[in-house]
């Protein structure tokens, strides 16, 4: 069994990831066409941000730093944030209870920890006013930090977003937005605001 220690990065590195995370979120918002009240799902491997293999070097400080930047900007833009847990909690999600109730998502009972849920979800749980865990959502957009596989929590038609900030620390970043399904074939007309 692998022992996972909590890593303590220096302040210079934490400031670097604050800046990179802010830039990712800025570029994501410019491209994603998200509206207030919509849900942004984020998966984040603090190990990958710290340039280690996913799940091997969890860091409370890295998870907290990335979460704080994303949550602040999400709130400023009226977005609900859903933090994806790691595979040990089957990639469950931590979000505000109000969001779960608004969308009709069933609340389950689990509290994420550093080694079972991950540092990012643990930071979300300790920061939200009324945290809740759910197993499944259909988010309107997503940010995947460190190849955490958030696609299972996006609405059916996901569109990759190309951003210039492709890493946070050592972690690869992928972003996506979603759109309404186009139905009806070649005779159909479509609302450009929904694409």
């Amino acid at each position: 069994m692998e022992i996972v220690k909590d890593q303590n990065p220096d302040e210079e590195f934490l400031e670097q990831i604050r800046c990179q995370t802010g830039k990712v979120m800025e570029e994501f918002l410019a491209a994603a066409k998200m509206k207030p009240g919509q849900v942004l799902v984020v998966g984040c491997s603090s190990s990958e941000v710290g340039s280690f293999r996913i799940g091997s070097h969890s860091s409370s400080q890295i998870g907290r730093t990335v979460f704080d930047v994303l949550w602040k900007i999400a709130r400023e833009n009226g977005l609900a944030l859903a933090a994806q847990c790691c595979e040990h909690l089957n990639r469950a999600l931590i979000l505000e209870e109000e969001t779960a109730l608004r969308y009709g998502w069933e609340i389950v009972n689990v509290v994420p920890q550093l080694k079972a849920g991950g540092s990012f979800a643990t930071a979300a749980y300790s920061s939200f006013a009324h945290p809740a865990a759910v197993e499944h959502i259909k988010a309107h957009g997503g940010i995947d930090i460190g190849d955490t596989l958030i696609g299972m929590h996006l609405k059916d038609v996901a569109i990759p977003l190309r951003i210039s900030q492709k890493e946070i620390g050592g972690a690869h970043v992928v972003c996506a937005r979603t759109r309404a399904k186009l139905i009806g074939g070649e005779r159909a007309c479509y609302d450009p605001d929904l694409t």
Side-chain angles (χ1 to χ4, degrees), residues 6 13 43 50 57 72 83 94 113-114 123 125 132 156 166 168 180:
D6 192 4
F13 181 68
H57 288 76
K72 177 182 185 293
I94 305 302
Q113 305 297 312
L114 183 65
Y125 195 90
D156 286 346
K166 298 183 185 316
I168 295 175

Side-chain angles (χ1 to χ4, degrees), residues 50-130:
S51 298
F52 297 99
R53 186 180 51 78
I54 194 168
S56 66
H57 288 76
S58 298
S59 169
S60 298
Q61 287 180 293
I62 289 174
R64 165 64 60 195
T65 300
V66 173
F67 174 80
D68 286 346
V69 172
L70 294 175
W71 191 42
K72 177 182 185 293
I73 298 170
R75 285 183 303 175
E76 290 170 355
N77 287 274
L79 301 178
L81 182 61
Q84 179 180 271
C85 295
C86 73
E87 67 189 277
H88 298 98
L89 296 185
N90 297 327
R91 294 191 172 84
L93 302 120
I94 305 302
L95 39 69
E96 286 284 7
E97 180 182 47
E98 171 194 354
T99 304
L101 296 174
R102 180 176 356 124
Y103 284 97
W105 295 326
E106 182 179 358
I107 294 173
V108 296
N109 188 357
V110 71
V111 177
Q113 305 297 312
L114 183 65
K115 296 165 186 69
S119 63
F120 185 77
T122 300
Y125 195 90
S126 69
S127 298
F128 289 151
H130 301 284

Side-chain angles (χ1 to χ4, degrees), residues 23 27 42 60 73-74 82 115 147 150 168:
K23 184 159 176 50
E27 290 187 46
V42 177
S60 298
I73 298 170
K115 296 165 186 69
D147 302 318
I150 61 165
I168 295 175

